[in-house]
Amino acid sequence: MSVTTAGLVPAPTEPLLDSVRLAVLPESATWELRDGVLEIHCAEAAEIRLSVPLGDAVGFWHPDAWWNRTIVADWAGLAHVSLVRGAAAGCLYDSSGASMLAFAALDPVPEVTMRYGVSEESKTFVVHLHVPARRSPYRIALAPQAPSVAAAMRALRRAPEERPVPEGARVPVYSTWYGFSQDVAHEPVEAEARLAAELGCGALILDDGWQELGNGRGYAGVGDWRPDLAKFPDLAGHVARVQGMGLKYLIWVAPLLLGPQAECFEALSPLAPLPSGVPGARVLDPRLPEVRRHVVDLCVRLVRDYGPDGLKLDFLDQATLYGDGAGAAMHDLLTELAAELGPEALIEFRQPYVAPGTPLGNMLRADDCPADAVANRVRTVDIALRAAGGAVHGDMLMWDPAGSTRSAARQLIGTLHAVPQISARIGELPQAHRRMVAFWLERWRELRPLLLDGELEPGRPDELYPVVRAERGDECVITVTADRVVPLDGRFRKITVVNGTASGRLVVEVAGEGFAVRRVHDAEGSRIDPSATQIPAGLGILNVPASGMAVLEGNP
């Protein structure tokens, strides 16, 4: 591979939407305009080259970007994506946040190498997609220029990707992971479940540690997936008791992992020739039909024998170690598993395998970021920019129980625009923290139609989304996590403003006739008297306690 894209074999380019140009090797592409979106169809194996003048470009977002959101050089920008790792999608944007080049693959299955960045020689931004040979043409869509990254990516969603989301995927969750780690057992988990239900959770995830040899934070013992009888002497009975509290129940499993201490290791090890990136375990090769059958049978057995409402499927991205064909194999595996479990099964997938087109997953969770509210905000918004067919979930929430209530509340505010997963030991929290959790979960349920189903506008990805707005009809929710001027649009009848900063005031800019301050709450939910009952048009100050919220109504 050449050091820069300028060293590649030249290819003639064609003008596409706006100032975007296309080159395809071999020259066998067709395209059509559908509802303003340009669809490109390429031959079985292809190199797709997109380019656009640099102009005022300041950042490039793609699902595997993590913290690197600037316009890197083309010798530095590289991503390997497939069905269970990221996605062939991205958006170049300018200093106003408007899109300059927005694209997304309509076929997420094959292993694609994405090379991107600034071409120093041509003074352009380029994206090169290397697509392997396959039976049918590869399809990719380009959106016209839009006022924001979010608007551009919304235009690239396709209705066939969307699937009904079970109600159980859209309720707050209690997860055992950060609260218990692997030290789980039926009695303490049931005690926490009861408290979680009282605080407003609707589901519980039993994470790692329920299974035999599930101790020590390593994975040398995984593979048999039988309950540790010292911890759960009657797992089915335990599940039923928790469900009787009004909670859905999910069990964690990593079905592709195989540890040398497992009883089944000798029989299955020929199907797992490669060590995984997970300590102590190998990874089963999903390209083998017997592996796919084993995984499906395992997951079906867990649901049948113990009665959970679904599964938390972990480490599916380890399949990418097997390279070409792993994406297609995982698509076959997950499609078969979806047919076996049915549409109401709750299935959690975790970044990076949350791309549209992935069968089965309906709870799409941010990657692990314990106690990091910033990462939780950024990752949940990133998922939401492309999500279709699933509810976006934040990573499990943990915090210092000896810390301030305001600090703890910031963890919930960081995941407010997604489904929150609580993972603190509720029974050990001070009463102030419990009141805080109950308050924010109640507000979240009230605002859920906007937070999960509204139109999301988070701003520029390189700024890490300091002002996030979700709107639906004449209402909106605005979450503020940095000292920025917060626009309050007069077209909204009702605005909920959440102060995720450490300050007790927000600078606002009101368009329209102004707003009346109807309610102000602190971090624990206590109602306080507002310092001013009206906010007139123009620049002004809205006094809201740190980690608190205010409800505004438009003046008639």
Side-chain angles (χ1 to χ4, degrees):
M1 179 180 284
S2 64
V3 174
T4 72
T5 57
L8 299 173
V9 175
T13 64
E14 296 282 350
L16 295 177
L17 285 179
D18 305 316
S19 56
V20 179
R21 300 188 69 86
L22 167 73
V24 178
L25 296 172
E27 298 177 35
S28 57
T30 59
W31 52 86
E32 61 177 325
L33 196 63
R34 295 178 54 192
D35 300 323
V37 173
L38 192 70
E39 289 191 9
I40 305 168
H41 296 219
C42 301
E44 291 80 3
E47 179 185 347
I48 303 167
R49 301 179 181 179
L50 303 169
S51 64
V52 65
L54 282 174
D56 188 33
V58 298
F60 178 65
W61 174 88
H62 65 91
D64 210 24
W66 301 105
W67 301 111
N68 192 357
R69 295 153 186 267
T70 58
I71 49 171
V72 300
D74 63 356
W75 44 263
L78 185 66
H80 300 282
V81 301
S82 75
L83 183 74
V84 289
R85 181 169 184 84
C91 186
L92 180 74
Y93 53 92
D94 65 19
S95 60
S96 73
S99 68
M100 301 172 64
L101 165 64
F103 66 95
L106 300 180
D107 181 357
V109 172
E111 293 73 28
V112 173
T113 299
M114 185 168 75
R115 190 173 180 181
Y116 59 90
V118 173
S119 171
E120 301 169 26
E121 290 81 359
S122 66
K123 310 302 183 284
T124 60
F125 190 90
V126 300
V127 175
H128 289 193
L129 302 174
H130 296 264
V131 184
R134 54 197 313 275
R135 292 187 295 270
S136 59
Y138 187 72
R139 299 178 303 138
I140 190 168
L142 274 75
Q145 290 178 350
S148 68
V149 173
M153 300 315 292
R154 274 194 298 273
L156 294 173
R157 292 179 183 170
R158 284 289 182 265
E161 297 171 347
E162 298 179 359
R163 304 181 304 278
V165 181
E167 174 64 15
R170 293 166 52 87
V171 296
V173 175
Y174 181 82
S175 167
T176 63
W177 180 241
Y178 292 136
F180 287 87
S181 189
Q182 293 174 310
D183 189 22
V184 287
H186 66 106
E187 290 182 345
V189 170
E190 288 170 30
E192 288 292 296
R194 189 169 292 105
L195 295 172
E198 293 173 355
L199 291 180
C201 290
L204 180 142
I205 296 176
L206 177 64
D207 214 296
D208 186 8
W210 65 269
Q211 75 281 10
E212 291 178 342
L213 304 177
N215 297 291
R217 294 296 293 271
Y219 296 89
V222 298
D224 298 319
W225 302 111
R226 297 186 296 252
D228 183 335
L229 296 180
K231 298 177 178 181
F232 295 93
D234 178 12
L235 182 57
H238 159 76
V239 170
R241 288 190 293 274
V242 171
Q243 290 168 331
M245 301 173 192
L247 298 175
K248 299 291 185 180
Y249 200 109
L250 290 83
I251 294 177
W252 173 87
V253 62
L256 289 179
L257 298 188
L258 179 67
Q261 296 176 16
E263 185 179 304
C264 64
F265 181 79
E266 184 176 353
L268 293 180
S269 58
L271 308 179
L274 292 182
S276 72
V278 181
R282 294 190 193 180
V283 57
L284 293 163
D285 185 349
R287 298 173 301 176
L288 303 173
E290 52 267 54
V291 167
R292 297 196 294 273
R293 188 67 253 168
H294 164 77
V295 170
V296 171
D297 288 346
L298 162 65
C299 294
V300 170
R301 173 179 64 81
L302 290 176
V303 173
R304 180 195 65 223
D305 291 355
Y306 306 116
D309 301 281
L311 301 171
K312 173 178 178 174
L313 297 181
D314 211 351
F315 298 118
L316 298 187
D317 52 323
Q318 296 300 308
T320 58
L321 294 173
Y322 289 102
D324 290 349
M330 289 301 294
H331 187 273
D332 291 344
L333 188 160
L334 295 172
T335 299
E336 184 178 350
L337 184 54
E340 293 276 357
L341 295 180
E344 291 302 312
L346 302 176
I347 303 296
E348 187 197 272
F349 283 177
R350 168 183 54 80
Q351 278 178 309
Y353 47 95
V354 292
T358 306
L360 192 61
N362 47 41
M363 301 165 68
L364 309 177
R365 181 174 64 83
D367 199 11
D368 296 12
C369 50
D372 190 339
V374 175
N376 228 346
R377 178 180 73 251
V378 171
R379 292 174 185 179
T380 51
V381 170
D382 281 350
I383 297 173
L385 290 178
R386 284 290 292 142
V392 179
H393 283 236
D395 183 40
M396 300 82 71
L397 301 179
M398 62 167 287
W399 58 85
D400 182 358
S404 71
T405 310
R406 289 180 298 176
S407 175
R410 279 200 293 271
Q411 297 298 323
L412 277 92
I413 292 171
T415 190
L416 194 69
H417 291 263
V419 179
Q421 293 196 7
I422 307 299
S423 198
R425 291 287 285 266
I426 299 173
E428 299 176 1
L429 291 177
Q431 287 299 319
H433 286 207
R434 291 201 204 185
R435 288 194 297 270
M436 177 274 294
V437 174
F439 169 74
W440 282 106
L441 291 187
E442 185 179 4
R443 298 289 80 73
W444 185 89
R445 285 181 176 272
E446 289 178 358
L447 297 170
R448 186 178 74 166
L450 284 78
L451 297 171
L452 294 191
D453 304 321
E455 187 172 283
L456 181 71
E457 183 46 69
R460 279 173 42 175
D462 61 313
E463 294 181 342
L464 305 183
Y465 314 128
V467 180
V468 181
R469 185 182 76 239
E471 63 179 81
R472 191 180 190 190
D474 60 358
E475 296 186 30
C476 82
V477 179
I478 301 175
T479 302
V480 187
T481 53
D483 191 10
R484 299 293 180 91
V485 176
V486 182
L488 302 179
D489 194 327
R491 65 190 171 91
F492 294 113
R493 174 184 58 84
K494 180 180 178 182
I495 299 179
T496 301
V497 180
V498 177
N499 181 10
T501 76
S503 172
R505 66 98 179 100
L506 297 172
V507 179
V508 297
E509 184 172 18
V510 179
E513 299 299 320
F515 288 89
V517 182
R518 294 304 187 198
R519 300 198 315 273
V520 178
H521 297 270
D522 64 15
E524 293 179 34
S526 297
R527 191 162 176 170
I528 62 177
D529 292 331
S531 59
T533 58
Q534 297 287 328
I535 306 177
L539 284 173
I541 298 295
L542 175 61
N543 289 302
V544 187
S547 299
M549 61 172 283
V551 178
L552 314 178
E553 291 184 358
N555 288 319

